Amino acid sequence: MTVMKRYVRKNILALEPYSTARDEFKGGDISVWLDANESPYDNGVNRYPDPHQRKLKERVSELKGVDQGSIFIGGAGSDEAIDLTFRIFCEPRVDNVIAITPSYGVYKVAAAVNDIEIREVQLNDDFSLPVDRLLAAADSHTKLMWICSPNNPTGNAFAVADLERLARSFDGMLVVDEAYVDFSTAGSMLPLLPELPNLIVLQTFSKAWGMASLRVGMAFASPEVAGLFARVKYPYNLNGPTQAEVLRRLDEDISGKVAELRHEAVGLSRSLSEAGCVVRVYPTDANFLLAEVTDADRVYDYLISNGVIVRNRTKMPGCRNCLRFTVGTPEENRRVIELINEFK
Ligand SMILES: *Cc1c(COP(=O)(O)O)cnc(C)c1O
């Protein structure tokens, strides 16, 4: 048994995956398709899509510099990859996972859905990564460690070297959620994938790529682990029109938009920090800013009454009186700055 298989649930290792009609078809020149009980009337969507998403994976492989065999693509965004990770590795009511807090809320929900204990380890006061406390929280039933970098809602990215140390020291799977990596200068964990067999990297097309509505997220891992995702996923988890639409949109060059948002983030941060009701704005490696204000609930309601919605994070650990501002267009950012300056 390879090292990684030690971490996998026994039922998943034993699983005989569902074999689709399209799986069993192995080439040949077919013109009459009578194998899948589809409607024969061509309306553009009458045939099942490619369950292996080959064309899309080929493009993602090119884009990310990762072998196709190391890619999982989900049709319910990264959230699908998060849920599958729990289901592959964690035995309900037996295993546990570690996650940083404050962080993305879906890890906790997915843990609860799967009946897995989650051990939350609070970031240091400056939101830096408490590597030793994270490692100390693990026991022999800890299968996963969830780290979001750049982290939502704090905005900071963690050093690749620290994440690498975690991966090398942790006896379980390290999951690094890089939803905002396209905005960050801290770098990705993807180049370390061949060296770190216990690493899973999550990315998404929902943020910098502007395809949130399409719901396409990815997991990257060793071929062995990516193979487990392929076995456990629903066979047709990414519908045909979405596969085609993402493929088409991946030809867009997003670097101009990313550069504009990064530039806007700097300006928004500076203007917010000068406003009377803003105590401080935390540095960001993402397309949002966490700002501590004098009274988060009041500023939040005031912005809403003026037609602007931000995220109130005041109840999250270490985030008292903090609001999270997504960086918008230059006009949107001007509007929010104007409102914040007028707050009484
Ligand atoms: C937005 C976000 C995602 C993306 O989720 P999708 O389901 O792919 O849209 C993942 N992780 C974090 C931390 C996020 O903030």
Side-chain angles (χ1 to χ4, degrees):
M1 193 186 290
T2 66
V3 179
M4 288 318 106
K5 287 205 171 128
R6 270 198 302 128
Y7 304 138
V8 179
R9 290 169 72 194
K10 303 286 168 286
N11 62 313
I12 301 296
L13 284 178
L15 174 78
E16 180 73 53
Y18 177 70
S19 176
T20 71
R22 297 298 184 255
D23 281 319
E24 287 172 11
F25 164 65
K26 295 274 190 278
D29 193 10
I30 305 295
S31 56
V32 179
W33 296 87
L34 303 178
D35 59 340
N37 300 345
E38 299 153 335
S39 165
Y41 307 112
D42 185 2
N43 61 6
V45 292
N46 60 312
R47 298 293 176 190
Y48 280 100
D50 175 9
H52 308 293
Q53 310 133 0
R54 286 187 185 83
K55 283 192 189 131
L56 184 55
K57 275 190 189 159
E58 198 176 312
R59 184 74 183 91
V60 169
S61 166
E62 238 171 60
L63 197 69
K64 302 288 179 182
V66 173
D67 289 344
Q68 290 181 49
S70 283
I71 302 173
F72 162 80
I73 308 182
S78 314
D79 297 350
E80 182 175 348
I82 293 169
D83 182 55
L84 283 185
T85 304
F86 277 101
R87 286 160 57 197
I88 292 167
F89 294 100
C90 300
E91 198 59 44
R93 290 176 295 279
V94 175
D95 291 329
N96 66 72
V97 307
I98 293 168
I100 53 170
T101 187
S103 194
Y104 187 44
V106 172
Y107 316 136
K108 199 172 179 171
V109 174
V113 168
N114 288 287
D115 210 353
I116 307 297
E117 178 198 349
I118 184 164
R119 301 178 171 182
E120 294 185 308
V121 175
Q122 192 164 342
L123 295 176
N124 297 322
D125 288 343
D126 60 357
F127 296 147
S128 60
L129 198 65
V131 174
D132 294 319
R133 280 193 288 122
L134 283 164
L135 290 170
D139 65 19
S140 61
H141 285 291
T142 308
K143 294 295 175 65
L144 307 172
M145 188 180 289
W146 294 88
I147 308 285
C148 181
S149 180
N151 186 36
N152 178 4
T154 58
N156 57 315
F158 304 115
V160 165
D162 285 345
L163 297 172
E164 182 179 355
R165 177 153 86 89
L166 266 186
R168 293 195 192 277
S169 313
F170 174 50
D171 188 15
M173 300 297 296
L174 176 72
V175 191
V176 181
D177 183 344
E178 297 187 343
Y180 300 96
V181 72
D182 306 286
F183 298 105
S184 173
T185 51
S188 169
M189 294 295 282
L190 284 184
L192 289 169
L193 214 50
E195 277 176 63
L196 300 173
N198 65 331
L199 174 66
I200 298 174
V201 177
L202 306 183
Q203 293 189 5
T204 179
F205 291 131
S206 294
K207 304 287 159 58
W209 281 95
M211 303 185 216
S213 179
L214 293 178
R215 311 301 308 123
V216 179
M218 296 153 284
F220 302 93
S222 69
E224 186 185 7
V225 169
L228 293 166
F229 276 88
R231 290 155 63 94
V232 174
K233 78 179 185 77
Y234 289 116
Y236 301 110
N237 65 324
L238 197 60
N239 71 62
T242 297
Q243 291 186 42
E245 185 68 13
V246 174
L247 201 54
R248 189 177 71 74
R249 287 175 184 267
L250 286 179
D251 285 335
E252 188 197 345
D253 178 7
I254 57 164
S255 59
K257 285 176 182 152
V258 168
E260 173 165 289
L261 290 173
R262 283 164 51 106
H263 177 77
E264 282 297 306
V266 174
L268 182 60
S269 171
R270 190 176 306 127
S271 305
L272 286 177
S273 34
E274 286 163 3
C277 67
V278 174
V279 179
R280 69 178 127 183
V281 182
Y282 289 95
T284 188
D285 292 290
N287 65 332
F288 58 84
L289 298 170
L290 190 72
E292 183 185 342
V293 297
T294 47
D295 185 335
D297 294 337
R298 276 191 60 226
V299 177
Y300 178 80
D301 290 341
Y302 160 80
L303 288 174
I304 286 191
S305 66
N306 285 284
V308 172
I309 182 144
V310 298
R311 201 86 199 267
N312 190 348
R313 301 282 73 179
T314 188
K315 291 203 171 71
M316 298 196 91
C319 296
R320 216 167 89 81
N321 277 325
C322 286
L323 299 177
R324 191 192 69 193
F325 294 77
T326 303
V327 179
T329 63
E331 303 91 272
E332 289 172 333
N333 302 330
R334 272 197 294 280
R335 174 75 181 133
V336 81
I337 291 162
E338 187 180 281
L339 285 170
I340 288 285
N341 279 326
E342 285 166 6
F343 177 78
K344 300 242 169 21

